[in-house]
């Protein structure tokens, strides 16, 4: 995994004294729980540097090495014929004594390596190579780091805290060079290379500031798997990998025992020769990002416009619905008013049909009543003394000019005639009982609006 460990992946030198690891580890990671601190450090075999780096990677959104994403590993292009290759051969014998020793030992070395190769070849048929099964790639890396520090000290380039596939992903994402070192434990030059070249201060400074550094032993399953992919010829072996033509490509191979100055020159040459590819890729990414941002802005503007149009259409629909409901309400009111008027007219006609005939003027029991309507018109009719005041009300109600609701008042004395049954007058009195004379003037008061 790995990710960016601050800007230049500066090496963290933190004491692993178990009596004082908690305060420093908590300060670096911000973890408040002591149990979580202990669990995290136990996952990293009490390596505070690895635990801190992994914690910072998680805060940057990079998956933990203990919970790697189930993604397909990147394929590295190793078939590019433009790969820069630098092989350092072992020095030839010098002088008569040197050549004599070389010729004497040549048959023994040839026999030894031949028998060893035959034995290994035969052993493959008896027992498969355990390195072919990668079960704990992170454990392989951590184990190699511990053995390296025990043997060569802690002054070394910052090792990538993750698998080879994760290192490739980080190098591709960050557009950085990835330097891969395969350590041959049994090779005679590995010890001198690690002690004098890889741990040289100037080499450490170059690697830590300009590239990611991944290393593993070929005796470990993870290192063996990478060895099968890169096909090294001898040790020590270094491979420079970078994103080139949108593929992770090996752009440089350094094999053999190489001195610190020579290693710095070779690495600098490889990076300078391929820097244009990274610059080009950065420009392409920026252009893609700008295009993506522009497209996103266009999409947001389109969505905003679409929402505005939808809001306008919604308001239009609501306005149309409001008008429709209002029109329906007006129409219902009109229909109700028409029904009310029709019912009122039918009631007037019914009342008119039920009225008793008008007495003749010669009838001594007749009463002549002049009604003054609210519209200042006058209506005159004769009634019989024995008739109920209800008859007067029904007569006025049947008139076209009369209001829908009204009451009848007499002047002398001024009073309201009880023409409609009520609690006080369940049966309205007759004209005679109401004290009306042969000739009366009654006033009709409109109560429709009350």
């Amino acid at each position: 995994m790995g990710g960016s460990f601050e800007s230049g992946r500066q090496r963290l030198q933190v004491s692993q004294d178990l009596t004082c690891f908690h305060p420093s580890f908590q300060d670096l990671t911000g973890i408040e729980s002591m149990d979580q601190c202990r669990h995290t450090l136990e996952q990293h075999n009490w390596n505070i540097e690895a635990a801190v780096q992994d914690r910072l990677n998680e805060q940057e959104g990079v998956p933990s090495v203990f919970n790697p994403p189930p993604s397909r590993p990147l394929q590295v292009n190793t078939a590019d014929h433009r790969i820069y290759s630098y092989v350092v051969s072992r020095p030839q014998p010098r002088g008569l004594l040197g050549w004599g020793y070389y010729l004497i030992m040549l048959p023994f070395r040839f026999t030894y390596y031949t028998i060893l190769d035959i034995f290994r070849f035969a052993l493959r048929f008896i027992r498969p190579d355990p390195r072919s099964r990668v079960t704990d790639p992170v454990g392989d890396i951590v184990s190699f780091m511990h053995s390296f520090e025990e043997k060569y000290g802690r002054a070394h380039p910052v090792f990538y805290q993750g698998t080879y596939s994760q290192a490739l992903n980080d190098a591709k994402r960050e557009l950085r060079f990835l330097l891969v070192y395969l350590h041959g434990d049994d090779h005679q030059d590995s010890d001198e290379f690690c002690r004098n070249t890889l741990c040289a201060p100037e080499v450490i400074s170059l690697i830590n500031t300009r590239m990611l550094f991944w290393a593993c032993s070929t005796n470990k399953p993870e290192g063996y798997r990478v060895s099968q992919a890169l096909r090294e010829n001898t040790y020590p072996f270094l491979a420079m990998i970078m994103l080139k033509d949108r593929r992770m490509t090996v752009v440089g191979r350094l094999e053999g025992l190489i001195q610190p100055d020579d290693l710095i020159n070779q690495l600098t040459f490889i990076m300078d020769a391929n820097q244009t590819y990274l610059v080009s890729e950065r420009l392409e990414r920026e252009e893609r990002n700008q295009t993506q941002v522009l497209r996103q802005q266009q999409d947001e503007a389109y969505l905003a416009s679409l929402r505005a149009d939808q809001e306008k259409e919604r308001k239009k629909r609501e306005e149309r619905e409001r008008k429709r409901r209002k029109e329906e309400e007006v129409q219902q009111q009109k229909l109700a008013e028409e029904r009310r008027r029709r019912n009122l007219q039918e009631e007037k006609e019914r009342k008119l049909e039920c009225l008793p005939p008008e007495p003749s003027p010669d009838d001594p029991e007749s009463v002549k009543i002049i009604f003054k309507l609210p519209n200042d018109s006058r209506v005159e009719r004769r009634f019989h003394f024995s008739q109920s005041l209800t008859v007067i009300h029904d007569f006025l109600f049947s008139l076209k000019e009369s209001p829908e609701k009204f009451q009848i008042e007499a002047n002398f004395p001024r009073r309201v005639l009880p023409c409609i049954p009520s609690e006080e007058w369940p049966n309205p009195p007759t004209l005679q009982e109401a004290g009306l004379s042969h000739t009366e003037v009654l006033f009709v008061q409109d109560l429709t609006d009350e």
Side-chain angles (χ1 to χ4, degrees):
M1 187 175 59
S4 297
F5 188 45
E6 298 183 342
S7 60
R9 294 186 177 271
Q10 296 299 323
R11 177 179 175 80
L12 288 175
Q13 297 293 344
V14 184
S15 172
Q16 296 187 31
D17 185 354
L18 300 185
T19 62
C20 63
F21 78 91
H22 287 300
S24 60
F25 183 72
Q26 285 182 303
D27 292 340
L28 290 170
T29 61
I31 299 177
E32 297 181 358
S33 173
M34 300 293 285
D35 293 336
Q36 187 177 355
C37 288
R38 183 178 296 276
H39 177 70
T40 303
L41 287 170
E42 287 177 351
Q43 281 187 321
H44 295 82
N45 294 322
W46 298 96
N47 187 327
I48 296 183
E49 178 181 348
V52 171
Q53 179 173 337
D54 193 28
R55 177 66 179 179
L56 294 178
N57 289 337
E58 291 183 11
Q59 293 176 353
E60 293 175 2
V62 181
S64 170
V65 294
F66 294 95
N67 298 285
S71 59
R72 184 178 178 182
L74 288 177
Q75 300 295 324
V76 178
N77 180 20
T78 60
D80 195 337
H81 298 290
R82 296 169 292 177
I83 296 177
Y84 175 80
S85 181
Y86 182 79
V87 181
V88 180
S89 302
R90 292 190 60 80
Q92 297 294 330
R94 295 184 179 181
L96 184 60
L97 183 62
W99 277 105
Y101 176 78
Y102 174 77
L103 292 175
I104 292 173
M105 296 301 297
L106 181 62
F108 294 99
R109 284 199 300 267
F110 177 78
T111 303
Y112 171 77
Y113 285 112
T114 301
I115 295 175
L116 183 62
D117 290 341
I118 294 174
F119 175 76
R120 288 176 177 174
F121 180 77
L123 190 62
R124 292 180 183 176
F125 294 95
I126 301 174
R127 182 174 63 87
D129 193 338
R131 298 178 301 174
S132 60
R133 296 184 61 185
V134 181
T135 57
D136 185 14
V138 177
D140 294 341
I141 304 301
V142 174
S143 176
F144 170 72
M145 288 174 51
H146 289 333
S147 62
F148 187 95
E149 291 180 350
E150 290 176 0
K151 193 171 184 179
Y152 306 110
R154 297 178 60 85
H156 58 76
V158 176
F159 290 110
Y160 185 90
Q161 302 285 331
T163 65
Y164 175 66
S165 298
Q166 291 168 340
L168 291 175
N169 279 315
D170 272 0
K172 179 179 180 180
R173 178 173 55 85
E174 298 174 13
L175 291 178
R176 298 185 66 183
F177 290 100
L178 172 64
L179 183 63
V180 175
Y181 168 60
L182 293 179
H183 182 78
D185 294 89
D186 302 328
H187 197 276
Q188 56 189 348
D189 293 332
S190 296
D191 185 74
E192 182 180 350
F193 174 78
C194 292
R195 193 178 306 278
N196 299 328
T197 300
L198 196 57
C199 294
E202 58 272 21
V203 174
I204 295 175
S205 177
L206 175 68
I207 293 177
N208 286 349
T209 56
R210 298 197 61 183
M211 64 195 75
L212 303 179
F213 182 64
W214 185 91
C216 192
S217 170
T218 54
N219 287 342
K220 304 291 183 181
E222 176 71 356
Y224 179 74
R225 180 174 68 88
V226 178
S227 172
Q228 295 297 304
L230 297 181
R231 300 291 181 181
E232 73 280 5
N233 297 313
T234 186
Y235 300 97
F237 174 78
L238 294 166
M240 184 72 82
I241 303 175
M242 61 169 288
L243 184 63
K244 182 179 180 180
D245 299 328
R246 297 189 178 182
R247 296 184 61 186
M248 295 303 290
T249 305
V250 178
V251 295
R253 297 168 61 95
L254 306 177
E255 300 180 81
L257 182 59
I258 184 171
Q259 299 304 313
D261 293 339
D262 198 10
L263 176 60
I264 292 175
N265 292 335
Q266 296 302 325
L267 293 178
T268 303
F269 174 78
I270 294 173
M271 289 188 291
D272 291 343
N274 294 277
Q275 189 67 34
T276 54
Y277 293 103
L278 291 183
V279 173
S280 176
E281 181 62 28
R282 288 192 184 96
L283 293 176
E284 289 183 8
R285 283 193 181 182
E286 290 179 0
E287 184 177 354
R288 287 197 297 269
N289 291 337
Q290 292 177 357
T291 302
Q292 184 178 2
V293 170
L294 179 61
R295 185 180 297 112
Q296 183 178 359
Q297 292 175 347
Q298 291 175 344
D299 292 343
E300 291 176 353
Y302 169 75
L303 291 176
S305 176
L306 179 61
R307 286 193 293 268
D309 293 341
Q310 291 175 343
E311 182 65 17
K312 291 180 180 178
E313 183 62 26
R314 184 187 65 81
K315 291 182 177 180
K316 288 181 179 179
R317 287 197 305 270
E318 291 179 353
E319 181 65 20
R320 289 195 297 267
E321 182 66 18
R322 188 186 63 80
K323 290 182 178 180
R324 184 187 64 80
R325 288 197 300 267
K326 187 175 181 179
E327 290 175 356
E328 289 182 355
E329 184 179 350
V330 171
Q331 186 67 21
Q332 292 294 334
Q333 291 177 352
K334 288 182 177 180
L335 293 176
E337 180 66 18
E338 289 179 1
R339 284 195 298 271
R340 188 188 64 80
R341 289 180 179 178
R342 185 168 58 253
N343 294 335
L344 180 63
Q345 183 63 32
E346 291 176 356
E347 182 69 12
K348 287 178 178 289
E349 292 175 356
R350 188 180 65 82
K351 294 288 185 181
L352 181 61
E353 292 175 356
C354 294
L355 285 176
E358 182 179 6
S360 64
D362 300 333
D363 188 346
E365 296 295 324
S366 68
V367 179
K368 178 181 177 183
I369 302 177
I370 301 173
F371 299 97
K372 295 189 67 174
L373 300 177
N375 59 0
D376 294 334
S377 61
R378 291 172 178 265
V379 177
E380 181 180 324
R381 191 182 188 278
R382 290 182 177 275
F383 299 90
H384 202 277
F385 270 120
S386 62
Q387 292 175 345
S388 172
L389 291 178
T390 305
V391 177
I392 300 177
H393 185 275
D394 291 345
F395 167 75
L396 291 173
F397 181 79
S398 66
L399 297 177
K400 184 177 180 181
E401 302 86 354
S402 67
E404 183 177 347
K405 186 177 180 182
F406 58 90
Q407 67 182 14
I408 305 172
E409 298 178 354
N411 250 354
F412 302 103
R414 188 171 183 83
R415 64 192 185 281
V416 177
L417 300 180
C419 301
I420 301 176
S422 62
E423 294 181 0
E424 185 178 357
W425 298 93
N427 297 310
T430 62
L431 276 66
Q432 187 174 9
E433 293 172 347
L436 298 182
S437 59
H438 285 279
T439 303
E440 288 283 347
V441 176
L442 300 180
F443 298 87
V444 180
Q445 183 178 1
D446 191 354
L447 301 179
T448 302
D449 296 332
E450 296 183 3

